[in-house]
Amino acid sequence: MYHYGIIGFPLLHSFSARYFNEKFTREHIDAEYSLYSVKELTKERMDELANTLDGFNVTLPHKQAVIPYLDRLDDTAKAIGAVNVVYKRVGYNTDCLGFMDSVKPLLRTYDRHALVLGTGGASKAVVYGLRQLGITPTLVSRTPREEIIGYADLTEEIMQRNTVIVNCTPLGMLPDIDTCPDIPYQWITARHLLYDCVYNPELTLFLQKGKEQGATIHNGMEMLTGQAKAAWKIWNDEME
């Protein structure tokens, strides 16, 4: 039997566990996928996981913390600076593939600038993906610094120019469904696309507020499905 899993903290729920275990059952694959709640990632814990699992996913808060414990990164993960898939002590990033495949059909000809909310591992993959698609991203954070603006800096002009807004924070995710990024929703229009990397609940408060303003909205389920499919190809040496 093959053993796969996901590491992160907290792991209150996991799309990956459901997705892969259902796949294994449906396709009669002799494998299991388990949750590994890891609050602090150490070399010893990493060695244990690498020796036990045939491959694993990485989620918050370890997408960057895992890097020093890997033998190398593939070119995409190296460019992004974050890892969400590990195979044979090599780090990969399939988040960007899932995001790009999901968002590309939604883009309009005038979408040239995007706001990316959050600065963690997910945002790094989204920024990379947007640039690959010819869109200029601007990072937004609660702690603004060089080349990163704060939520209080979001003027009407900035909101109008950035017709794509991507939430890469966990705000709005179960169980905290009454939270959302603190952006000026009153300046969102029908020209905007709001994309939430959160998938549970299906309609986050962020997306709900955008919908009320007439914006196009999309959650992160397709992104998750896409990155999972790419992860499976990596674990089976099927990537081109």
Side-chain angles (χ1 to χ4, degrees):
M1 175 180 282
Y2 293 97
H3 300 277
Y4 304 96
I6 183 170
I7 65 170
F9 187 88
L11 287 176
L12 300 177
H13 54 84
S14 171
F15 162 86
S16 295
R18 184 174 73 252
Y19 174 86
F20 282 111
N21 284 319
E22 287 179 356
K23 175 184 177 69
F24 298 154
T25 299
R26 184 175 62 251
E27 300 179 17
H28 307 289
I29 298 171
D30 188 19
E32 65 177 4
Y33 190 104
S34 304
L35 305 180
Y36 294 86
S37 183
V38 178
K39 188 172 184 179
E40 182 178 353
L41 187 61
T42 63
K43 182 181 184 301
E44 291 73 22
R45 187 64 168 131
M46 180 63 187
D47 289 342
E48 178 186 350
L49 291 164
N51 293 331
T52 302
L53 300 174
D54 295 288
F56 60 92
N57 292 113
V58 183
T59 189
L60 296 171
H62 303 312
K63 290 187 177 185
Q64 294 165 266
V66 72
I67 292 176
Y69 304 124
L70 299 173
D71 291 342
R72 67 179 181 87
L73 305 181
D74 84 325
D75 291 341
T76 302
K78 188 181 298 183
I80 292 171
V83 165
N84 75 301
V85 177
V86 175
Y87 180 55
K88 295 181 179 179
R89 301 295 291 238
V90 179
Y92 300 84
N93 192 301
T94 63
D95 281 336
C96 62
L97 297 175
F99 171 71
M100 288 171 63
D101 288 345
S102 175
V103 78
K104 190 174 181 179
L106 306 173
L107 298 175
R108 293 72 53 97
T109 55
Y110 58 80
D111 289 321
R112 290 290 178 263
H113 299 273
L115 295 177
V116 178
L117 314 180
T119 57
S123 73
K124 292 180 181 298
V126 166
V127 164
Y128 179 87
L130 288 169
R131 285 176 175 154
Q132 295 293 108
L133 294 170
I135 296 176
T136 302
T138 297
L139 284 165
V140 185
S141 172
R142 290 175 297 179
T143 53
R145 47 199 182 275
E146 187 177 358
E147 297 184 357
I148 301 176
I149 66 175
Y151 286 94
D153 301 321
L154 295 175
T155 63
E156 183 175 3
E157 180 185 356
I158 291 174
M159 295 294 289
Q160 288 178 352
R161 182 170 70 251
N162 291 273
T163 52
V164 177
I165 305 176
V166 186
N167 176 37
C168 297
T169 78
L171 291 171
M173 181 187 295
L174 279 173
D176 301 317
I177 61 173
D178 294 327
T179 61
C180 64
D182 187 20
I183 64 174
Y185 293 93
Q186 69 271 21
W187 290 327
I188 291 174
T189 70
R191 286 175 56 83
H192 282 88
L193 164 63
L194 269 61
Y195 189 107
D196 202 334
C197 293
V198 172
Y199 66 94
N200 193 3
E202 183 178 337
L203 182 65
T204 60
L205 186 56
F206 168 72
L207 294 182
Q208 183 179 322
K209 285 177 173 286
K211 184 178 181 180
E212 290 171 355
Q213 296 293 118
T216 299
I217 62 172
H218 204 80
N219 67 27
M221 182 56 73
E222 286 182 358
M223 176 178 174
L224 280 162
T225 302
Q227 66 82 19
K229 289 179 178 178
W232 183 245
K233 287 184 177 181
I234 289 171
W235 295 334
N236 288 273
D237 295 317
E238 295 175 2
M239 292 296 283
E240 295 178 357

